[in-house]
Amino acid sequence: MPILSQEQPHPSENEPHKARQMAESFGVDAERYDRTRPRYPDALVERIVAASPGPHVLDVGCGTGIEARQFQAAGCTVLGVDPDARMAEFARRTGVEVEVTTFEAWDPAGRSFDAVVAGQAWHWVDPVAGVVKAARVLRPGGLLAVFAHAFAPPAAVAEAFATAYRRVVPDSPFNGQPPKQALDVYQAMFTTFADGIREADSGFSDPEQWRFDWEQRYTRDEWLDLLPTTGGLTRLPADKLAEVLAGVGTAIDALGGGFTMSYTTMAVTASRTGAT
């Protein structure tokens, strides 16, 4: 998550929705995942709710229920879909109803929704089948909204991570750093999402892109608590993980024990305007 090349393959080069081993690795420590992963801006949730014709939301790739609980707090009724039973069980304990399956294989059983949302998850969904499925379950005027955070830690922290990661996992396909600015990479990914909505020709309006900028302060311990939930680290042995975290921790200590992260939460939305 903090380093894009860890979290997912580059969208222009690969088909991340087929990388099921990584996609389903985040549930290894669902409690940590839920505790450390950033929430979504209230303004994003409010705008999605305002643009939807009603309160019934389907959350694709709901994970531990982070965004689902935010939509519930905004007055929505939420059904989650997630392929990881560990994540789903955690979400259920927090009051979120979840069905365990991939979105592509999920059976709506005649149910329909006012909004289909996906937070930090749409890249794990087949870009064609996902749009078609969303159109199938949305009511007329219903909203498809996919969103994610783009961000990168300070250069010293990112370089310390990359150096340690390359040392402990020299044969990894990930090098620990994105090839360019995280925002640029995410912009390319969200352009791909928008193109997929257009190309599916499933009765959606022309997609809109939304952007929300915000900041969050992290202490050394808070950042090291979050790092093990990211894609490149979820499957590392404990000794190698500890070595990576030690290198990053030293870099944060040199910055005074913490740093402020600048986040950009990006979204692509489209309304269902016609029959599928």
Side-chain angles (χ1 to χ4, degrees):
M1 186 173 175
I3 304 297
L4 180 75
S5 59
Q6 278 191 270
E7 185 76 352
Q8 63 197 48
H10 306 314
S12 61
E13 299 171 357
N14 297 290
E15 296 177 287
H17 63 280
K18 295 183 179 179
R20 298 313 312 167
Q21 187 176 14
M22 180 176 289
E24 297 172 21
S25 72
F26 300 105
V28 66
D29 191 344
E31 182 177 356
R32 181 197 294 263
Y33 185 101
D34 191 80
R35 180 178 67 245
T36 63
R37 287 282 184 136
R39 275 51 184 164
Y40 295 92
D42 290 340
L44 168 67
V45 174
E46 292 166 2
R47 189 168 177 182
I48 291 171
V49 172
S52 302
H56 301 292
V57 174
L58 178 69
D59 186 0
V60 177
C62 70
T64 59
I66 291 173
E67 67 267 14
R69 295 191 299 273
Q70 291 186 256
F71 280 98
Q72 287 178 329
C76 296
T77 299
V78 183
L79 172 65
V81 175
D82 199 278
D84 192 320
R86 300 164 297 181
M87 302 284 263
E89 179 55 32
F90 185 97
R92 291 184 185 121
R93 293 201 303 269
T94 70
V96 179
E97 182 182 355
V98 186
E99 297 180 4
V100 179
T101 180
T102 63
F103 183 48
E104 295 92 330
W106 173 69
D107 180 7
R111 292 168 290 183
S112 60
F113 300 84
D114 298 302
V116 172
V117 304
Q120 210 83 15
W122 196 249
H123 55 281
W124 301 121
V125 176
D126 181 282
V128 175
V131 173
V132 172
K133 191 68 159 286
R136 176 183 169 192
V137 301
L138 279 170
R139 297 174 180 135
L143 188 73
L144 171 62
V146 301
F147 42 89
H149 305 301
F151 60 101
V157 177
E159 183 55 41
F161 174 87
T163 298
Y165 190 83
R166 288 193 298 263
R167 182 173 63 249
V168 303
V169 197
D171 58 345
S172 172
F174 306 110
N175 63 11
Q177 285 188 320
K180 50 186 175 180
Q181 293 296 317
L183 185 59
D184 294 338
V185 177
Y186 269 88
Q187 180 59 64
M189 183 173 70
F190 274 77
T191 297
T192 299
F193 292 163
D195 289 344
I197 293 171
R198 295 186 186 98
E199 293 167 8
D201 193 24
S202 295
F204 281 103
S205 64
D206 193 52
E208 296 182 6
Q209 291 198 37
W210 302 346
R211 171 174 172 162
F212 304 84
D213 296 310
W214 54 286
E215 293 183 340
Q216 182 166 323
R217 181 74 182 174
Y218 286 97
T219 65
R220 177 187 189 276
D221 289 346
E222 288 168 343
W223 189 246
L224 297 187
D225 197 22
L226 183 151
L227 271 182
T229 73
T230 62
L233 301 185
T234 52
R235 292 174 290 165
L236 274 189
D239 58 338
K240 292 186 176 182
L241 174 62
E243 189 172 345
V244 172
L245 296 182
V248 176
T250 298
I252 298 175
D253 288 339
L255 295 176
F259 61 91
T260 298
M261 182 80 76
S262 294
Y263 280 92
T264 296
T265 300
M266 306 178 70
V268 167
T269 67
S271 296
R272 182 176 176 268
T273 59
T276 59

